[in-house]
């Protein structure tokens, strides 16, 4: 090793803060921060282009701690560098309402770019950052002025590489040649269960070479070697780089370094005392000497970097004013000023056409109308574009044109969704991704992360029920819609026809505080006539589609393809209204008066019908009501035979209503 003593002392500040905070919380992971401190020292003090006084500076480098259990590494770096994260905040590590939760959480501490913890998703987000940077740069940079020009740095560990998502996303990153992505693999050979060689013996170097990455190996405690490898990584613009850093977990702890003992538990007061002695660190807990703070502080450097970029951007604004205004609009996440009016005009036009088509086709028609208005759309599909109809005429793949607007993700549902989260987090784009609803299951945790991080990601799911027919129970979703609806902060739309589909897309695009799932049919669905007022109410997530004839006695609630079932029953009944509920989450956000006007509380005779699991609907129909839907898996047969076989018919609805009103 060639690390000088003074530089080791600078890195040791991370080690002591990590062990002190974990000890005080009596919970956490000190080993990874202590083992990666030397890597972090080099990356953050010498290479990372960031401004602690403005964590949202648009052209900052992005940093992702994929092995998020080592969160004290990130918090220590933010504190030492000069972010608004005090020593008192570090003392509140893992405590209620602190800025320093157990895993990095977006929106808690300044400088946290993404929520990490579910292993493998951090590197996926980082790939999304790198993809967004390259695409935005290709769309806006000029030969003489580069206003989008930054790197993405990612730390990751054994757990990230063991998770299957890492294969999905790193394979794609290599194929796309994301050269401004640099990953540092903490190769310490230890996980919670002990030495990983018994269950993780991959040749990581050959694995990443096969993906098309540049692979470098260093001693993770040799700062000269880390520095040189980072220079090499930045010089390679055609490939992403992974730097395999051989490290000792918990470095500095005399009795626990290199062992699983320091992975996920405090070192203990006696061991911390010994570690301080071994490190030559004389200060008490949470005390950092002024000279160490001075060595870490990045405020002046960061402000100078942002100021230099501001000068470049001012030149860009003067020379390319329309492009500059457009870039600012997109980075701020605002829709074009004229978009909402144009979207409403398209919805009115769609209502006038009265087409009977599949809602997946209605979705494509909406994309064809909205796409030219929204250059920020960055679409993609997990190898099913011809089936889920996510391609529109203006789509161009980023693999052929870096300035394109569509990603061919291949069969990578989980990776696709987590990358899209990174794209949204980066800014400048509204990503939409697609697969069959059944295969949402592969992506489930990344969908949850979209919602947890409040990101505007649009999840398009087609082939939404037994209505897809002959492919059978492996492809026919049953419980998936209920699972999505049970996800906090996710809006799930299941439109009944062309108009509701266009409304759902508009709602998803307008929404800035979370993701939307669009649940779309394979089969054609009949058009439903609506007044202008009903179109306005449809955007509220639930509305009266068919008014009762005479005194109201019962309510039928339906979504998607079952709206036509409800309407067929409606014509056979008196005193019944049909409520279309394309988005229950949006409906529940409406005021009590509106909800009461749609679902009067005194009407207890309620029937819900949906070709999905019945359990979700009991909260709307009550114990006195009835739900017609699925309680088993599907079968392989034509759709019309399946609906009859499972009793999802107008006759069943009529019978249920009569039984409740007799």
């Amino acid at each position: 090793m060639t690390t000088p003593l003074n530089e080791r002392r600078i890195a040791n500040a991370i080690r002591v803060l990590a062990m002190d905070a974990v000890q005080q919380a009596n919970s956490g992971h000190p080993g990874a921060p202590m083992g990666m401190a030397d890597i972090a020292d080099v990356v953050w003090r010498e290479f990372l282009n960031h401004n602690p006084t403005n964590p949202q500076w648009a052209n900052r480098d992005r940093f992702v701690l994929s092995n998020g259990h080592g969160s004290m590494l990130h918090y220590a770096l933010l504190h030492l560098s000069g972010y608004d994260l005090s020593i008192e905040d570090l003392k509140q590590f893992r405590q209620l309402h602190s800025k320093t939760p157990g895993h990095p959480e977006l929106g808690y501490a300044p400088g946290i770019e993404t929520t990490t913890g579910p292993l493998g998703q951090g590197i996926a987000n980082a790939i999304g950052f790198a993809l967004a940077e390259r695409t935005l740069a290709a769309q806006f940079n000029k030969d003489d002025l580069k206003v989008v020009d930054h790197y993405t740095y990612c730390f990751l560990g054994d757990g990230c590489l063991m998770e299957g998502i890492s294969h999905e996303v790193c394979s794609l990153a290599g194929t796309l040649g994301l050269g401004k992505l640099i990953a540092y693999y903490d190769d310490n050979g230890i996980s919670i269960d002990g030495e990983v060689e018994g269950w993780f013996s991959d040749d990581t170097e050959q694995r990443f070479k096969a993906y098309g990455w540049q692979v470098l190996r260093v001693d993770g405690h040799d700062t000269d070697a880390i520095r040189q490898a980072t220079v090499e990584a930045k010089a390679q613009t055609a490939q992403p780089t992974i730097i395999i850093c051989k490290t000792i977990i918990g470095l500095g702890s005399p009795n626990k370094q290199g062992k699983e003992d320091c992975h996920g538990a405090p070192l203990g007061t006696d061991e911390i005392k010994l570690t301080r002695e071994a490190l030559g660190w004389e200060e008490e807990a949470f005390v950092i000497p002024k000279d160490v703070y001075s060595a870490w502080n990045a405020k002046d450097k960061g402000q100078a970097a942002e100021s230099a970029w501001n000068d470049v951007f001012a030149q860009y604004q003067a020379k390319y004013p329309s492009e500059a205004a457009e870039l600012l609009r997109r980075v701020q996440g605002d829709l074009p000023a004229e978009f909402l009016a144009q979207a409403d005009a398209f919805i009115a036009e769609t209502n006038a056409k009265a087409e009977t088509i599949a809602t997946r086709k209605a979705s494509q028609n909406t994309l064809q109308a909205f796409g030219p208005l929204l250059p920020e759309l960055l679409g993609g599909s997990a190898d099913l574009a011809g089936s889920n109809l996510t391609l529109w005429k203006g789509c161009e793949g980023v693999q052929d044109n870096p300035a394109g607007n569509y990603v061919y993700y291949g069969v990578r549902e989980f990776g696709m969704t987590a990358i899209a989260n990174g794209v949204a987090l980066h800014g400048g784009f509204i990503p939409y991704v697609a697969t069959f609803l059944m295969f949402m299951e592969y992506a489930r945790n990344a969908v949850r992360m979209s919602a947890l991080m409040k990101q505007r990601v649009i999840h398009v799911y087609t082939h939404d029920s037994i209505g897809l027919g002959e492919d059978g129970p492996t492809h026919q979703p049953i419980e998936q819609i209920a699972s999505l609806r049970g996800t906090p902060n996710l809006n799930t739309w299941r439109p009944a026809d062309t108009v509701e589909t266009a409304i759902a897309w508009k709602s998803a695009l307008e929404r800035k505080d979370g993701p939307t799932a669009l649940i779309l049919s394979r089969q054609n669905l009949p058009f439903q006539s609506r007044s202008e007022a009903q179109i306005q109410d449809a955007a509220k997530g639930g509305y009266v589609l068919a008014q009762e004839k005479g005194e109201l006695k019962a309510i039928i609630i339906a979504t998607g393809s079952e709206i036509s079932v409800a309407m067929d029953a409606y014509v056979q009944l008196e005193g019944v209204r049909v409520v279309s509920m394309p988005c229950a989450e949006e409906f529940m956000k409406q005021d009590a008066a509106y909800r009461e006007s749609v679902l009067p509380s005194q009407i207890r005779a309620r029937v819900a019908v949906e070709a999905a699991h019945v359990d979700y609907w009991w909260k709307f129909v009550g114990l006195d009501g009835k739900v017609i839907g699925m309680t088993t898996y599907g079968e392989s047969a034509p759709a019309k035979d399946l609906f009859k076989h499972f009793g999802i018919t107008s006759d069943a609805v009529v019978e249920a209503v009569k039984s409740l009103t007799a």
Side-chain angles (χ1 to χ4, degrees):
M1 298 184 190
T2 60
T3 304
L5 182 60
N6 61 339
E7 190 164 13
R8 175 57 57 80
R9 178 169 170 77
I10 292 167
N12 283 344
I14 296 172
R15 295 185 170 98
V16 295
L17 287 174
M19 67 183 187
D20 289 343
V22 171
Q23 185 65 37
Q24 176 144 317
N26 197 29
S27 173
H29 300 74
M34 296 173 74
M36 297 194 78
D38 298 308
I39 306 167
D41 167 31
V42 173
V43 173
W44 273 66
R45 290 202 308 118
E46 299 183 38
F47 291 96
L48 192 70
N49 206 22
H50 64 123
N51 183 3
T53 59
N54 182 13
Q56 296 304 309
W57 169 35
N59 199 49
R60 68 193 181 279
D61 288 338
R62 296 334 194 247
F63 174 78
V64 177
L65 183 72
S66 188
N67 44 344
H69 54 272
S71 57
M72 265 311 302
L73 172 64
H74 205 166
Y75 299 145
L77 288 165
L78 293 170
H79 169 71
L80 293 166
S81 297
Y83 284 80
D84 183 18
L85 194 69
S86 70
I87 202 72
E88 293 303 316
D89 292 322
L90 300 192
K91 290 179 180 179
Q92 291 299 307
F93 179 55
R94 286 182 166 238
Q95 305 308 300
L96 184 64
H97 302 314
S98 76
K99 291 183 179 181
T100 50
H103 293 85
E105 299 278 357
L106 184 70
Y108 284 65
I112 301 293
E113 300 283 3
T114 180
T115 298
T116 57
L119 294 176
Q121 289 198 63
I123 181 62
N125 295 164
I127 289 166
F129 284 131
L131 172 62
E133 189 277 341
R134 189 178 74 172
T135 306
L136 202 65
Q139 292 177 356
F140 283 96
N141 284 353
K142 306 296 182 181
D143 290 341
D144 57 335
L145 291 168
K146 292 184 178 181
V147 290
V148 181
D149 185 18
H150 64 79
Y151 283 82
T152 299
Y153 297 92
C154 180
F155 288 2
L156 68 159
D158 292 308
C160 296
L161 294 184
M162 281 188 264
E163 289 287 357
I165 187 175
S166 70
H167 165 71
E168 295 183 29
V169 299
C170 293
S171 167
L172 184 61
T175 299
L176 294 177
L178 299 177
K180 295 176 81 172
L181 170 66
I182 304 173
Y184 299 80
Y185 164 36
D186 180 26
D187 182 16
N188 61 44
I190 297 293
S191 68
I192 289 176
D193 282 349
E195 296 181 6
V196 302
E197 60 185 12
W199 50 87
F200 184 52
S201 58
D202 299 15
D203 187 332
T204 300
E205 179 175 352
Q206 292 304 316
R207 170 185 169 185
F208 275 80
K209 284 182 177 178
Y211 292 153
W213 288 53
Q214 174 178 234
V215 182
L216 305 173
R217 281 186 176 273
V218 299
D219 176 343
H221 303 298
D222 184 338
T223 53
D224 285 343
I226 298 164
R227 185 175 297 111
Q228 181 56 39
T230 304
V231 170
E232 288 184 47
K234 293 189 73 171
Q236 172 55 275
T237 59
Q239 295 174 289
T241 297
I242 184 168
I243 304 174
I244 300 173
C245 304
K246 191 62 182 175
T247 63
I248 299 171
I249 191 170
L251 182 70
S253 170
N255 297 306
K256 295 187 177 183
Q257 70 176 27
K259 302 175 182 178
E260 64 271 22
D261 296 11
C262 66
H263 184 286
L267 296 182
T269 54
D270 291 342
E271 187 66 15
I272 285 178
K273 181 179 179 182
L274 293 174
T275 303
R276 274 187 153 74
E277 292 174 359
L279 296 176
W281 194 271
E282 299 177 354
E283 286 73 21
E284 297 179 358
F286 295 106
V287 174
I288 304 296
K290 290 183 179 179
D291 62 328
V292 176
Y293 270 130
S294 179
W296 272 106
N297 195 292
K299 287 183 178 179
D300 291 345
K301 182 180 176 182
Q303 289 171 346
E306 182 174 357
S307 178
W309 180 82
N310 286 339
D311 290 342
V312 173
F313 191 72
Q315 296 174 51
Y316 186 87
Q317 283 181 305
K319 193 169 183 180
Y320 308 104
S322 60
E323 289 93 334
E326 177 70 359
L327 178 58
L328 287 174
R329 177 190 72 78
R330 286 175 53 174
V331 169
Q332 290 164 358
D334 297 328
L335 296 174
E338 68 279 6
F339 172 73
L340 295 181
Q342 292 172 319
D344 287 340
F346 173 75
I347 291 168
E349 179 185 335
T350 300
N351 190 50
K353 285 184 178 179
E355 293 179 294
T356 291
I357 57 177
T359 50
R360 62 172 175 161
K361 180 60 179 175
S363 172
Q364 186 181 47
N365 291 347
T366 304
L367 276 170
Q368 187 58 55
F370 290 177
L373 309 174
L374 299 170
E376 58 263 50
L377 283 180
L378 186 62
S381 175
D383 200 49
L384 294 168
S387 292
N388 53 43
L389 305 183
T390 46
L391 283 167
W392 53 281
K393 292 178 183 178
C395 284
E396 188 172 4
V398 297
Q399 80 280 5
D400 297 320
N401 178 8
N405 60 358
Y406 196 85
V407 184
Y408 290 87
Y409 283 101
V411 187
R412 300 181 175 99
E413 294 88 357
F414 191 6
M416 167 185 72
T417 308
I419 288 173
N421 288 342
V423 170
L425 287 160
H426 179 277
F429 294 100
I430 301 175
Y432 68 88
V433 291
T435 185
F436 290 175
L437 177 56
M438 186 66 248
F439 304 128
M440 174 279 298
E441 294 288 1
Y442 286 132
R444 185 71 186 85
N445 199 267
V447 177
R448 183 177 188 271
M449 297 305 293
S450 297
L452 179 64
M453 294 190 289
K454 302 178 181 179
Q455 293 305 297
R456 180 162 51 180
V457 180
I458 302 173
H459 305 279
V460 180
Y461 299 126
T462 67
H463 296 59
D464 68 341
S465 73
I466 57 172
L468 67 89
E470 292 84 347
D471 276 341
T474 61
H475 282 51
Q476 292 166 3
I478 303 299
E479 71 276 25
Q480 285 66 40
I481 300 177
S483 174
L484 291 168
R485 288 180 178 139
T487 303
N489 198 42
L490 174 69
N491 276 6
T492 300
W493 286 81
R494 187 171 184 244
D497 63 2
T498 55
V499 171
E500 286 190 2
T501 302
I503 290 169
W505 263 107
K506 180 191 173 193
S507 174
L509 290 162
E510 282 185 283
R511 188 174 187 225
K512 282 188 172 185
D513 62 351
T516 300
L518 305 180
I519 314 298
L520 307 171
S521 74
R522 175 183 183 270
Q523 73 274 29
N524 290 343
L525 302 185
F527 176 80
Q528 305 296 332
S529 297
R530 293 174 189 81
S531 66
E532 185 175 337
Q534 285 175 309
I535 291 174
Q536 296 298 316
D537 285 345
K540 298 174 182 177
Y543 65 105
V544 179
L545 177 63
Q547 197 71 40
E548 63 272 11
K549 293 166 282 187
E551 180 186 355
L552 178 60
K553 299 177 181 178
I555 300 172
I556 304 170
I557 307 170
T559 77
S561 52
E562 287 65 69
I563 283 292
S564 61
V565 174
M567 292 300 290
D568 287 346
Y570 170 79
V571 299
Q572 303 175 53
L573 297 163
E574 296 289 333
V576 174
R577 72 169 49 167
V578 174
V579 170
S580 178
M581 188 79 73
C583 184
E585 298 83 9
E586 199 62 41
F587 177 72
M588 293 306 295
K589 294 174 187 175
Q590 306 306 310
D591 60 48
Y594 178 77
R595 297 198 307 270
E596 178 69 16
S597 73
V598 175
L599 296 174
S601 54
Q602 73 271 20
I603 304 301
R604 309 291 290 178
R606 299 183 183 186
V607 177
V609 53
E610 185 177 59
H613 202 286
V614 299
D615 278 2
Y616 178 80
W617 289 104
W618 292 110
K619 70 178 185 178
F620 285 103
V621 303
L623 295 179
D624 297 330
K626 292 193 174 183
V627 182
I628 296 169
M630 299 293 295
T631 57
T632 68
Y633 296 112
E635 296 285 350
S636 178
K640 60 181 178 61
D641 296 337
L642 290 172
F643 279 95
K644 183 177 181 181
H645 172 74
F646 288 107
I648 304 174
T649 64
S650 58
D651 288 345
V653 175
V654 169
E655 182 181 342
V657 170
K658 288 182 176 179
S659 71
L660 294 174
T661 56

